[in-house]
Each structure stands twice: as structure tokens, then as C-alpha cells.
Amino acid sequence: DLFVPTPLNQKKVLVTLLSKGRTNFKELPSYNVYESLLYTPNGSAAVNSIHKVIFVTTETAELSEATLAFKSYIEASGREVETYSIVINDKSLLDIQRQIEQLFIKLKGNYKPHEIIADYTGGNKDMSIALLRVSEKEVVVPIYLNEATTGNYSQFK
């Protein structure tokens, strides 16, 4: 079960990092990653892909306007969106990793690792490294989208 080769456009859950600073949700790297996962390699829509999107963010008090607009955009397509806040200020990489591990523990109750994709394109370096390390430990496919802010959806690594 751990090594089921599920194509990227058939994943059920997208865990994606969001960082502050963008005012338009279409400028968020997470938006471009999300959009790229909704299509098959030949360009047709993968209608049944991505049931749930989880925003991992450090914003604790209020979500930015861009994040709220992105959330509404995803929900309008019938998908569920969850925001998972972590604390990174004055935290070690191991502390950040432990917070992300808690998210994956929760996800394992409803999803198998091959149904989850972890996008470490957005966020800061500590968040990205922590998500990448947890993905590796949980056997979840991590992705990084080159040029995510330019709308070039074809440059996965």
C-alpha cells in the first residue's frame, strides 16, 4: 500500500505551504500548484482529483485576504479546505517538523500515504524543509513547482 504509484493528478489531498505577503491569491505559489494538479499530462481536466486542500500557514490571528480568496475559490469547486496553523518564530527546525507531523498523524486516519501530496513550494525555508522531511518519513510524495509564481505549471521536480 505504501508504494502504490498514484499519478499526481489522482491524489486526493494536497498539503501546501502558504506564506504571507501576496495580495492576489493567483500570485500564491500554492495556487499554481493546485491548478497544475487538476489536469492530466495531456491537458484535460482530472475531475476526480484533489478532494481536500490543507493550507499550512504561520498566520495565527487572521488569514490574509489572498488566503481567504484562495480558500473560497477552492470551495467553489466543491473541494474541502482546511487551514493548519503552525508557529515558527523562535522555533527550531525540529519543533516545526513536529508540528507538521501532527497534521500527518491526523491525515493518516482518513487517507493512505499514496493519496497525499505535499507541496513545499511556498512558505519559508524552515517550513519547506520540515514538510519535506515529514513527507519522506511518511512516504508521501513531495513536489516542488519551478516558476510557480509565473504560471508555468509544467515544471514539477
Side-chain angles (χ1 to χ4, degrees), residues 49-66:
S49 67
I50 306 294
H51 300 171
K52 182 176 191 170
V53 177
I54 300 174
F55 296 157
V56 178
T57 180
T58 61
E59 300 166 280
T60 54
E62 288 185 34
L63 296 177
S64 71
E65 282 186 38

Side-chain angles (χ1 to χ4, degrees), residues 35-50:
E35 287 290 309
S36 69
L37 291 172
L38 298 181
Y39 297 93
T40 62
N42 67 4
S44 59
V47 179
N48 296 322
S49 67
I50 306 294

Side-chain angles (χ1 to χ4, degrees), residues 24 34 51 78 100 120 124 156:
N24 180 344
Y34 169 77
H51 300 171
I100 294 174
Y120 65 100
N124 67 25
F156 279 116

